[in-house]
Amino acid sequence: MLLMEMTLNHSIELLGKSIDVTLTENARNALSRRIKPLAVEMELYFSCLIRKQVRFSDMQNGTNEKTSLKTWLNDRMCIRFRPVMTEACKINPERNEPALTDFPITNTKAYIPHWLSIDYQNNNWVGKFGYRAKH
């Protein structure tokens, strides 16, 4: 018999746009054991191609982030949306990743994801985000 892992759904807002956040039971348990809050960054990467990536790190005190593009899910998790671009669309063999800069989107709200899913597997945070198709 297969047992499905329990998930917990939340809703947050960024720039007035709702994002559905799903945390697996493993993620909730790992989050409850943390001392420092977890920073979750939904990175939308514009370059030669577009990449979606969720990055996880310890929340840093005194960071100078755009406060309109982040919100707290609870006292242990801060969620941020960050559109970025490369300085140039080329592959540099001496570096794994080209230098990034914030992407100055005119209508940021249109690019904010509709959903975020977070899990904790093999002692690592795992996440993905996405958009619903327009009907």
Side-chain angles (χ1 to χ4, degrees):
M1 180 170 129
L2 275 177
L3 295 177
M4 293 187 64
E5 185 176 357
M6 301 267 309
T7 59
L8 184 62
N9 297 319
H10 300 274
S11 185
I12 59 171
E13 276 193 22
L14 280 178
L15 296 178
K17 187 171 178 181
S18 180
I19 303 172
D20 296 325
V21 180
T22 302
L23 296 173
T24 64
E25 186 175 4
N26 284 346
R28 289 193 321 273
N29 291 337
L31 190 60
S32 70
R33 293 189 302 268
R34 290 184 60 84
I35 295 170
K36 286 186 172 184
L38 179 67
V40 179
E41 181 177 85
M42 298 177 289
E43 180 186 83
L44 187 58
Y45 178 96
F46 294 90
S47 181
C48 304
L49 300 172
I50 296 175
R51 175 184 76 193
K52 300 181 305 183
Q53 184 170 3
V54 180
R55 298 181 182 274
F56 298 92
S57 63
D58 288 337
M59 190 70 192
Q60 302 298 319
N61 292 333
T63 57
N64 188 18
E65 298 175 355
K66 294 181 179 179
T67 56
S68 62
L69 296 179
K70 72 175 180 180
T71 190
W72 288 85
L73 177 70
N74 55 36
D75 64 341
R76 295 181 183 264
M77 182 181 289
C78 182
I79 298 174
R80 178 178 183 216
F81 175 64
R82 183 176 182 221
V84 296
M85 64 183 189
T86 56
E87 293 177 349
C89 186
K90 63 181 180 180
I91 298 173
N92 184 344
E94 297 169 6
R95 293 178 66 177
N96 290 340
E97 296 236 356
L100 296 180
T101 184
D102 288 336
F103 189 59
I105 295 176
T106 303
N107 182 12
T108 305
K109 185 176 178 178
Y111 292 89
I112 291 178
H114 294 124
W115 58 267
L116 169 64
S117 175
I118 299 172
D119 195 3
Y120 191 75
Q121 304 170 357
N122 302 316
N123 294 319
N124 290 301
W125 291 99
V126 179
K128 56 185 175 180
F129 68 90
Y131 303 87
R132 286 187 283 278
K134 291 186 178 184
H135 300 285

